[in-house]
Amino acid sequence: MPQINFRTLFENLPSPHVVLDREFRFVEANLAYQAVTERSREELLGRGMFELFPNEGPSGRQLRESFERVFATGQPDTLALIPYAIPLPRSLGGGFEMRYWSAVHTPLFDEAGEVAFLLQNTVDVTDIQRLKDMAYGPGGEPAPEPPVEGATQLLQRAQELQETNLVLVEETNQLRNLFMQAPSFMAVLLGPDYTFRLVNNAYQQLVGHRPLIGRPLMEAVPELQGQPFPDILAEVMRTGQAYIGAAASVMLQRAPDAAAEERFVDFIFQPIFDARGAPWGVFVEGSDVTDRIRAEEQQKLLLDELNHRVKNTLATVQSIAAQTLRTSADPEAFKAAFEARLMALSATHDLLTQSVWRGADLNDVIMLELRPHGSDRYTVRGPSVALSPAEALTLGLVFHELATNAAKYGALSSQEGCVRVSWSLHDDGARPRLELSWTEEGGPTVTPPQRQGFGSRLIERSLKGDIDGQADLDFAPQGLRCRLSVRLRVQDAAEAAA
């Protein structure tokens, strides 16, 4: 669905529209107003209504009082009929002509809910008044001259003009509501310092609901200093050519005391032209696409990480297969050992999947291997430790080898045996150090192996190769003792929160 260009809509409304500040100075004027007053935008902006169009009589007082009521009450005010002189075309020698107007004055509120500006919508009803005079006479008495048929036509014409005025008033209110509630952010910047004249709700949300109206861009949003947007605005004003940006990074302070944060926006800077075709401002419109950009970045990161993990997993499986084959006496023994190790790898994968591969807790990784043996066969004690995916996978394989060895030859192979696991964390510079002890008690007497088996090699090599760790295996007669020391990867805030 095409976007509505509210700047163009305002400029081309058929009846005169102006925006005044609390001092009754011109802030904005559409082309119809410029045409009817024969004043260019540059001649109007910043000048007072009663400075340019003085009227010390009743009409001037009536107009001023209406302005004051709007700013005092915050309610719209209507002047059904007010005579007010306007300048004659310069081509006719200048001077003024008395004309009759119907005016609606609508308050415009700032972000604090105060009336900051006034929107005046005027409709020239001189024809209606003159038709009325022709039909009834200047004093309100029926005129003797016009025939009944002519008077009826004149009154019908007057009624049509009044209905047109009501439609225009309604259109003005709808225009303001559309602008303020539009889902894309919008702002009107005027003059060489890009002073804010209009902003909608979405723009206020983007920049943290700070005071904007009437303030230059670099005063209202100082964090834009050093960013490319002021230079782009200057180029748009210089060339009169629109600028379109896609997924542009911008640093914005979105809370009073907060640091600037990065947002991404799709935007267009559209030059605003005066009646002579010269740029005098910029209409800003766009959308905050930060969520979309971050989702795309996260998706790319996940795909890259997935590729990396698949390669690592395949390499691990290949190594397990080769080493298991080397130490297996027959195909059945190879099949049983290989499947057990793959199931241990799979279990850790499942655990990581539950956290969307952000990591796993050390206790959960250990319990995957010990829980099947019964709660009376082990004790586990230690603080919560967040492991990275790589650390969880490696330690998962290590604990599988230790538990399998204990079930075959160690403490878990007898009724009285028990495994005790404890660990602690130590602050050792930039990266914390995990110290873990695996101790077996009550099992058969342990005899040190004559040669190093695959389980021992996997424990030592995986700790050194995959993560920054080391293992010390002590085949004491009363039971195996294994001490692990691992320097953990520091988890960032997002991973810790997850």
Side-chain angles (χ1 to χ4, degrees):
M1 181 176 179
Q3 295 283 336
I4 299 174
N5 190 324
F6 290 99
R7 175 71 245 174
T8 301
L9 182 59
F10 175 80
E11 284 184 338
N12 292 282
L13 287 172
S15 63
H17 284 69
V18 294
V19 178
L20 306 176
D21 64 14
R22 299 186 69 90
E23 304 299 325
F24 312 147
R25 292 179 299 227
F26 288 95
V27 173
E28 188 56 84
N30 72 344
L31 296 176
Y33 193 92
Q34 296 174 49
V36 78
T37 60
E38 284 218 338
R39 301 285 183 129
S40 69
R41 196 170 167 284
E42 287 74 13
E43 293 175 292
L44 292 170
L45 296 191
R47 305 285 295 279
M49 169 70 79
F50 299 105
E51 174 191 352
L52 292 177
F53 307 110
N55 189 321
E56 301 298 331
S59 295
R61 290 194 298 272
Q62 185 182 8
L63 185 62
R64 183 183 295 273
E65 289 169 358
S66 177
F67 291 166
E68 291 171 347
R69 280 195 298 274
V70 172
F71 281 110
T73 66
Q75 298 295 321
D77 194 73
T78 301
L79 298 176
L81 184 69
I82 177 172
Y84 214 98
I86 64 168
L88 288 169
R90 296 183 181 94
S91 59
L92 298 179
F96 287 83
E97 176 188 13
M98 180 60 69
R99 298 193 67 82
Y100 294 88
W101 307 89
S102 177
V104 177
H105 300 144
T106 304
L108 302 178
F109 299 92
D110 60 18
E111 61 274 6
E114 301 293 331
V115 182
F117 301 96
L118 176 150
L119 175 68
Q120 183 189 62
N121 172 26
T122 52
V123 176
D124 188 344
V125 294
T126 304
D127 289 343
I128 297 177
Q129 186 63 28
R130 289 176 179 170
L131 291 172
K132 181 180 176 182
D133 291 343
M134 291 174 63
Y136 295 105
E141 297 296 330
E145 295 296 334
V148 174
E149 182 180 356
T152 301
Q153 293 174 346
L154 293 176
L155 289 174
Q156 182 179 357
R157 170 64 175 157
Q159 184 178 1
E160 291 173 353
L161 290 173
Q162 287 178 325
E163 290 174 354
T164 300
N165 184 35
L166 292 175
V167 171
L168 291 174
V169 171
E170 181 63 23
E171 287 178 350
T172 300
N173 291 333
Q174 291 179 357
L175 170 64
R176 180 179 182 276
N177 290 335
L178 283 172
F179 177 82
M180 294 303 296
Q181 299 176 22
S184 58
F185 60 77
M186 299 182 190
V188 174
L189 308 176
L190 302 181
D193 55 358
Y194 315 116
T195 299
F196 284 98
R197 293 304 185 193
L198 291 172
V199 292
N200 73 343
N201 296 334
Y203 195 96
Q204 284 283 7
Q205 182 178 3
L206 179 67
V207 299
H209 298 280
R210 68 184 81 183
L212 296 175
I213 300 298
R215 302 179 66 189
L217 175 66
M218 298 311 297
E219 175 187 323
V221 195
E223 63 267 29
L224 291 180
Q225 183 68 42
Q227 300 190 56
F229 301 97
D231 292 338
I232 297 173
L233 285 169
E235 186 68 10
V236 171
M237 287 282 281
R238 186 184 68 81
T239 64
Q241 298 294 317
Y243 181 92
I244 299 176
S249 171
V250 57
M251 300 299 295
L252 290 172
Q253 184 180 7
R254 309 191 74 210
D257 299 321
E261 66 175 86
E262 185 178 32
R263 307 296 293 179
F264 294 91
V265 293
D266 290 343
F267 69 95
I268 180 171
F269 289 165
Q270 178 70 46
I272 303 172
F273 300 98
D274 60 19
R276 296 174 297 179
W280 54 266
V282 177
F283 179 71
V284 178
E285 182 181 9
S287 301
D288 185 343
V289 295
T290 304
D291 291 342
R292 188 196 79 201
I293 297 302
R294 287 178 177 164
E296 291 174 353
E297 291 177 346
Q298 179 69 10
Q299 184 180 40
K300 183 180 183 303
L301 178 64
L302 289 175
L303 288 174
D304 291 343
E305 183 68 15
L306 178 61
N307 290 333
H308 176 71
R309 288 172 185 164
V310 167
K311 291 178 181 178
N312 286 348
T313 300
L314 290 175
T316 300
V317 171
Q318 184 180 25
S319 175
I320 290 174
Q323 294 291 343
T324 306
L325 182 63
R326 211 175 280 137
T327 57
S328 298
D330 55 64
E332 286 300 320
F334 165 78
K335 180 176 180 296
F338 183 61
E339 286 182 352
R341 284 159 180 157
L342 286 185
M343 290 302 295
L345 189 63
S346 174
T348 309
H349 272 254
D350 290 341
L351 185 63
L352 289 170
T353 300
Q354 295 174 14
S355 68
V356 199
W357 279 79
R358 291 189 178 95
D361 191 86
L362 174 62
N363 184 78
D364 294 336
V365 175
I366 295 173
M367 293 302 293
L368 283 176
E369 299 300 329
L370 292 180
R371 188 177 288 113
H373 298 281
S375 59
D376 59 333
R377 306 300 304 280
Y378 60 84
T379 62
V380 175
R381 186 179 72 254
S384 176
V385 177
L387 301 175
S388 70
E391 292 162 350
L393 286 172
T394 298
L395 290 176
L397 286 174
V398 168
F399 297 136
H400 171 74
E401 293 302 322
L402 290 172
T404 300
N405 183 75
K408 286 184 176 181
Y409 314 110
L412 298 180
S413 67
S414 66
Q415 292 292 335
E416 297 78 17
C418 178
V419 174
R420 303 189 186 280
V421 184
S422 62
W423 64 89
S424 58
L425 275 178
H426 303 271
D427 187 4
D428 190 11
R431 296 169 60 185
R433 188 177 78 259
L434 169 68
E435 296 288 346
L436 183 142
S437 172
W438 173 290
T439 303
E440 300 182 20
E441 301 174 353
T445 301
V446 174
T447 302
Q450 298 299 313
R451 60 183 179 84
Q452 189 180 36
F454 171 62
S456 300
R457 289 198 300 273
L458 183 146
I459 291 173
E460 293 179 355
R461 292 179 182 178
S462 60
L463 286 172
K464 291 181 180 179
D466 297 337
I467 59 178
D468 188 3
Q470 60 183 18
D472 178 21
L473 294 172
D474 179 11
F475 294 91
Q478 62 270 30
L480 173 68
R481 297 176 181 176
C482 177
R483 292 180 178 82
L484 305 180
S485 178
V486 181
R487 286 191 178 275
L488 299 176
R489 186 175 71 87
V490 176
Q491 304 286 307
D492 60 29
E495 291 172 322

